[in-house]
Amino acid sequence: AVVSTQSGHYGRDKSVGSNYPLRGGKSSFLEGGMRGVSFVHSPLLQLTGYTNKHLHHVTDWYVTFQKLVDDVPGDHDKPQLPLDGVDVWSSVSANVSCREEILYELRDPTKRADSSGKKGLKNWHKYPVSLKTSDMNYRKGDSRDALDFFVIRWRNWKLLTGTSLEMQGWSSENGKKNYTNFVNYKGELHPRSLVSGTFLFDLSVDEREESNVAEKHPDVVKRLLYKKQGYLDKVKLVGEQRFSNKGMVNGVWKPWVEL
């Protein structure tokens, strides 16, 4: 049996819960939004009664269960598409690390086409935002088409870089108040602050993501940006098509776009 959270707590006023001491919440790529808590109960476990802190992703569960029941993709009538997940049973059962990298998000307007088929989105070049983390400006009304960012976790490092990055504050300890340390917008704390820039956090010593160490570790930033290019080289151009309702066939959602 596996019981797991979907994501971090949303963290808005009048909502119950807290991601303390982590930063951010649901809809952000900060630890408060991305890190979940789960527990596993099974007679198959080699180790029990311990806390596992290895890197896992939600897509890993399908691959792990598939291997546990000896399901062989080649035995099915239709070929199985490549899976993003990793078999993490050795991690769950024996506390052995099985993965060291997770691509959280990669959005590049040059890899999308608008409705006319033209490469890139209409507003991708708009809305530059200040990099200064002490003076982050909330850009009310920013077009979500302007999204152009890359977020990756590699070992103890997390890199967030690009434009329209949603940066958030920290949950209060008792969970009764809204986030603290949000950017001041018209004299009030606002739950979203869209910024541009490069943020590097060393989660082994800074799980609250308080210190941006990008300038101190340019070698790490360079290495992770190299990984970004590797992902981009594999991405296909996808048209901005708005007919997702065609995916519903006899009450079942199925792929509706050939890639």
Side-chain angles (χ1 to χ4, degrees), residues 140-256:
K140 186 176 182 180
D142 271 5
S143 168
R144 301 308 284 175
D145 283 352
L147 292 177
D148 176 16
F149 54 79
F150 172 61
V151 184
I152 190 172
R153 169 75 183 271
W154 177 66
R155 298 180 180 175
N156 56 299
W157 301 102
K158 181 195 281 187
L159 178 73
L160 304 91
T161 184
T163 62
S164 296
L165 289 167
E166 183 173 318
M167 304 301 287
Q168 299 181 348
W170 292 261
S171 296
S172 57
E173 184 172 1
N174 57 22
K176 294 182 180 180
K177 298 179 180 179
N178 201 0
Y179 285 140
T180 60
N181 299 323
F182 269 138
V183 176
N184 192 292
Y185 175 63
K186 291 188 177 179
E188 299 178 356
L189 294 178
H190 198 283
R192 292 187 177 186
S193 302
L194 299 182
V195 304
S196 67
T198 298
F199 302 83
L200 180 69
F201 300 108
D202 182 355
L203 299 180
S204 65
V205 296
D206 180 28
E207 69 172 9
R208 282 175 55 83
E209 296 172 293
E210 295 178 303
S211 301
N212 180 9
V213 295
E215 292 185 358
K216 294 181 180 179
H217 298 279
D219 54 326
V220 177
V221 174
K222 183 177 180 180
R223 179 165 187 165
L224 296 181
L225 289 177
Y226 181 78
K227 289 178 178 291
K228 173 187 177 182
Q229 188 57 50
Y231 282 112
L232 282 175
D233 291 342
K234 301 176 184 178
V235 174
K236 295 181 180 179
L237 183 66
V238 178
E240 188 182 12
Q241 298 166 317
R242 302 189 181 279
F243 46 81
S244 57
N245 59 323
K246 292 186 178 181
M248 178 68 77
V249 179
N250 297 324
V252 179
W253 285 102
K254 295 183 178 181
W256 66 91

Side-chain angles (χ1 to χ4, degrees), residues 5-257:
T5 56
Q6 175 196 18
S7 62
H9 166 59
Y10 200 46
R12 298 294 179 84
D13 245 346
K14 299 181 180 180
S15 57
V16 179
S18 173
N19 297 322
Y20 181 86
L22 303 178
R23 182 177 185 178
K26 185 175 181 178
S27 83
S28 80
F29 293 106
L30 298 164
E31 287 298 282
M34 302 303 296
R35 188 184 297 192
V37 179
S38 63
F39 70 83
V40 178
H41 175 76
S42 171
L44 302 177
L45 294 171
Q46 296 181 38
L47 298 177
T48 60
Y50 77 99
T51 300
N52 187 308
K53 294 187 177 181
H54 294 304
L55 201 58
H56 302 148
H57 189 270
V58 64
T59 59
D60 296 337
W61 287 121
Y62 179 83
V63 179
T64 302
F65 293 151
Q66 189 177 46
K67 295 290 182 65
L68 279 176
V69 299
D70 295 323
D71 179 44
V72 180
D75 293 343
H76 299 284
D77 294 335
K78 294 183 179 181
Q80 177 176 283
L81 295 174
L83 300 174
D84 295 322
V86 174
D87 178 8
V88 294
W89 182 246
S90 295
S91 175
V92 174
S93 177
N95 201 21
V96 177
S97 177
C98 293
R99 68 150 70 227
E100 63 176 18
E101 181 176 320
I102 292 178
L103 174 64
Y104 286 147
E105 188 79 27
L106 174 55
R107 300 200 181 193
D108 188 321
T110 65
K111 288 294 182 177
R112 292 182 62 186
D114 61 21
S115 56
S116 67
K118 185 177 180 180
K119 195 173 183 181
L121 295 178
K122 292 178 288 186
N123 298 321
W124 73 268
H125 61 286
K126 294 183 179 180
Y127 312 116
V129 190
S130 172
L131 167 61
K132 298 178 181 178
T133 56
S134 60
D135 183 32
M136 294 186 292
N137 297 312
Y138 173 63
R139 299 296 300 242
K140 186 176 182 180
D142 271 5
S143 168
R144 301 308 284 175
D145 283 352
L147 292 177
D148 176 16
F149 54 79
F150 172 61
V151 184
I152 190 172
R153 169 75 183 271
W154 177 66
R155 298 180 180 175
N156 56 299
W157 301 102
K158 181 195 281 187
L159 178 73
L160 304 91
T161 184
T163 62
S164 296
L165 289 167
E166 183 173 318
M167 304 301 287
Q168 299 181 348
W170 292 261
S171 296
S172 57
E173 184 172 1
N174 57 22
K176 294 182 180 180
K177 298 179 180 179
N178 201 0
Y179 285 140
T180 60
N181 299 323
F182 269 138
V183 176
N184 192 292
Y185 175 63
K186 291 188 177 179
E188 299 178 356
L189 294 178
H190 198 283
R192 292 187 177 186
S193 302
L194 299 182
V195 304
S196 67
T198 298
F199 302 83
L200 180 69
F201 300 108
D202 182 355
L203 299 180
S204 65
V205 296
D206 180 28
E207 69 172 9
R208 282 175 55 83
E209 296 172 293
E210 295 178 303
S211 301
N212 180 9
V213 295
E215 292 185 358
K216 294 181 180 179
H217 298 279
D219 54 326
V220 177
V221 174
K222 183 177 180 180
R223 179 165 187 165
L224 296 181
L225 289 177
Y226 181 78
K227 289 178 178 291
K228 173 187 177 182
Q229 188 57 50
Y231 282 112
L232 282 175
D233 291 342
K234 301 176 184 178
V235 174
K236 295 181 180 179
L237 183 66
V238 178
E240 188 182 12
Q241 298 166 317
R242 302 189 181 279
F243 46 81
S244 57
N245 59 323
K246 292 186 178 181
M248 178 68 77
V249 179
N250 297 324
V252 179
W253 285 102
K254 295 183 178 181
W256 66 91
V257 176

